[in-house]
Amino acid sequence: MKVLFLLSFLTPLATAIWPLPVSVETGNTVLWIAEDVTVKWAGTGASDVRSTRCLSRCSGSYLTGLFDSVLMIFLQPYKRSKVRSFKDTTPSGDELVDHALQQTWKTIFKQSFVPWKFRPKGWKEPDSNDCTYVAGIELNLLKDDPENVAKPLAGEVDESYALSLTEDGQATVSANSSVGLIRGLNTFTQLFFAHSQGGAYTQLAPIEIFDAPKFQHRGINLDVSRNWFSVKDIKRTIDAVAYNKMNRFHLHITDSQSWPLEIPALPDLAQKGAYRPDLTYSPTQFRDIQYHAALQGVELITEIDMPGHTSSIWYSDPDLIAAFNIQPDWNTYAAEPPSGTLKLNSSKVADFLETLFNDLLPRVLPYTSYFHTGGDEVNKMAYTLDDTVKSSDPAVLQPLMQKFLDRNHDQVRSLGLTPIVWEEMLLDWNLTLGNDVIVQSWQSDEAVASIVEKGHKALVGNYHFWYLDCGKGQWLDFDPSVSSQYYPYEDYCAPFHNWRLIYSYDPLSGVSEDKQHLVVGGEAHMWAEQTDPVNLDRMVWPRGSAAAEVLWSGAKDAEGQNRSQIEASPRLSEFRERLVAKGIGAEPIQMIYCLQNGTQCQLGLS
Ligand SMILES: *[C@@H]1O[C@H](CO)[C@@H](O)[C@H](O)[C@H]1NC(C)=O
Ligand SMILES: *[C@@H]1O[C@H](CO)[C@@H](O)[C@H](O)[C@H]1NC(C)=O
Ligand SMILES: *[C@@H]1O[C@H](CO)[C@@H](O)[C@H](O)[C@H]1NC(C)=O
Ligand SMILES: *[C@@H]1O[C@H](CO)[C@@H](O)[C@H](O)[C@H]1NC(C)=O
Ligand SMILES: *[C@@H]1O[C@H](CO)[C@@H](O)[C@H](O)[C@H]1NC(C)=O
């Protein structure tokens, strides 16, 4: 007993890096880090002078024009650098790393926390006298960045990194791309805690980490049509996405309920289709959001869902929409009110989409390689009310849908982007898709298996696991005549998907081994019928983090076993504190009692 007791106090503290790296080795030496710690960083153009010794201390000067020599820069001045305005060009690898250094400083010194919740009662913080400091941080870019480092197709950028921190305080982050460097700096911030007397320290030196993501596409999808979200809310969500080492942010930016995206060539669209004429995203704001994501190694993918989910177009262009807002039996024609769909055999619709894409797609091109053309939940009955078709017969509709999709995808490609569609276009409508198209699944593991069997790349996000909106209960109001039928008013995808359920999902389950390479990743989805800026953070975080770890680290551990909640839970709690310290209102997942003395809240023993 005595030995066990002693051991539990001598066991070195575990790292709590989220998502879990491929390999981590740590010690238990305390190292402090000073606000003016130097960073040795050569910039991305410096491959031929990588071994050059540092020539001068260029106190905080921004890297522009100095890429031909290895620089020693202070981390500290990053706190003073102004918020740089966005550009309308793809950010370079240097800009990514520069931004990441600013974030690193801010995270370690301004957005940290004292980890008392994760230490036994009576725990003493490390002594701040007579301490060793991190001597410097060296960043090594091992290969030249590909041109599209900030907007790659899946798999085009290597996000792996190696991080080491020696006992005497030399930190090194090495990576094959600038994105790898910023993922490594992210991990670096997670090694440090705030001290209640000021300053920041790690208790884990020496540290050796190697890390690489399991999946290439790791994202959150946010619906900003059902409820209104400000630019600030969206940017905060992107910051959290990036801190979770996710690399995609899918913006479901229009739907039947509102059209908040301004399209200068079609000014009435948002003017009339938004909830209020001022609740829109201007071209400047839209660029700002996309640049904000790209700068953090997060590719923002815009979705204009069609031909269903488009009723908001009716307010500006009633001619283009069939079956608009049929009441009270809207549910014959759509999944949600207001019903309505783009007409399927209309040259006016084709002209409209031509104009829309020509306006919008060049504005997403600097920041992404993808454009999402939607295609979910198209209701065939709506076409009985479409004067260009007047039929719900699949044999009539299918060729028209193929033509509709081909027109859209041809234009997407001609404007330099790769299409993404929802699974129904392939699996329910039996459409022929280009080999380049990524098919986003949401309904089942069988759907994922069918997509890859047909040779397409797939994104997972099974709604039984990765829909963050589920389990809140119905948002529909029931008439007394039917109310008892729906009691107790659960929604279609109840119960609430807690983080454990999200964490238990394996993107590869049901996919044969020879097809697994086609599962490029997945997304957790925040549909916003019952979410607005007030509860956004707690609806997405830290449950979205559970999906982030599955996508980065894989659903199975090194032994091929399902990852353990017992191992993950305290790490997720600690990561949640980091999110909160960054101003993201992530929910707690346990009470402090469960955390203070190891795992106190376990049920079942193995
Ligand atoms: C970089 O690429 C090399 C070879 O392509 C690979 O062995 C290594 O794991 C990659 N990542 C890092 C961080 O070195
Ligand atoms: C589609 O429109 C064309 C031209 O208006 C018409 O000739 C054709 O019959 C329509 N197709 C269907 C299935 O209604
Ligand atoms: C797609 O194929 C399935 C199975 O053959 C069929 O049931 C379905 O009606 C087809 N869908 C359309 C729109 O043609
Ligand atoms: C591992 O997780 C899968 C779900 O992805 C589940 O079906 C399976 O039963 C789990 N295996 C064990 C041993 O718990
Ligand atoms: C801390 O946890 C250990 C192991 O579960 C247990 O034996 C000990 O009683 C706990 N201490 C307190 C103060 O709860």
Side-chain angles (χ1 to χ4, degrees), residues 1 5 8-9 121 593 597-600:
M1 278 311 283
F5 177 81
S8 74
F9 277 87
K121 284 186 185 180
Y593 172 78
N597 180 25
T599 299
Q600 297 275 8

Side-chain angles (χ1 to χ4, degrees), residues 504-506 509 555-556 561-562:
S504 75
Y505 180 60
D506 184 351
S509 64
K556 305 273 189 266
Q561 301 301 308
N562 291 345

Side-chain angles (χ1 to χ4, degrees), residues 54-62 66 69-74 77:
C54 174
L55 303 173
S56 62
R57 292 185 148 203
C58 318
S59 57
S61 62
Y62 181 59
L66 295 166
S69 64
V70 176
L71 296 183
M72 196 84 119
I73 54 183
F74 291 107

Side-chain angles (χ1 to χ4, degrees), residues 44 91 126 134 167 169 214 216 218 248 274 360 392 406 413 416 458 467 482 502 514 518 543 574:
T44 56
V134 172
E167 208 156 2
K214 171 95 177 163
Q216 299 151 348
R218 310 177 304 277
R248 300 288 188 266
L360 177 61
S392 61
D406 287 345
R413 291 187 192 97
Y467 269 26
V482 296
I502 292 169
D514 61 319
L518 290 170
R543 292 185 301 145
E574 199 175 304

Side-chain angles (χ1 to χ4, degrees), residues 6-17 20 24-31 114-121 123-126 190-194 201-207 209 567 570-571 574 578 595-599:
L6 277 175
L7 270 180
S8 74
F9 277 87
L10 291 175
T11 307
L13 293 160
T15 41
I17 299 159
L20 190 68
V24 185
E25 283 171 44
T26 57
N28 52 14
T29 298
V30 174
L31 285 180
V114 174
W116 64 272
K117 287 184 187 174
F118 306 92
R119 303 290 183 262
K121 284 186 185 180
W123 160 75
K124 298 262 183 307
E125 287 177 281
Q190 294 190 37
L191 302 173
F192 293 92
F193 293 109
Y201 66 90
T202 180
Q203 279 177 289
L204 299 167
I207 300 170
I209 295 173
E567 186 282 324
R571 257 186 324 110
E574 199 175 304
R578 294 196 183 275
L595 303 164
Q596 268 198 312
N597 180 25
T599 299

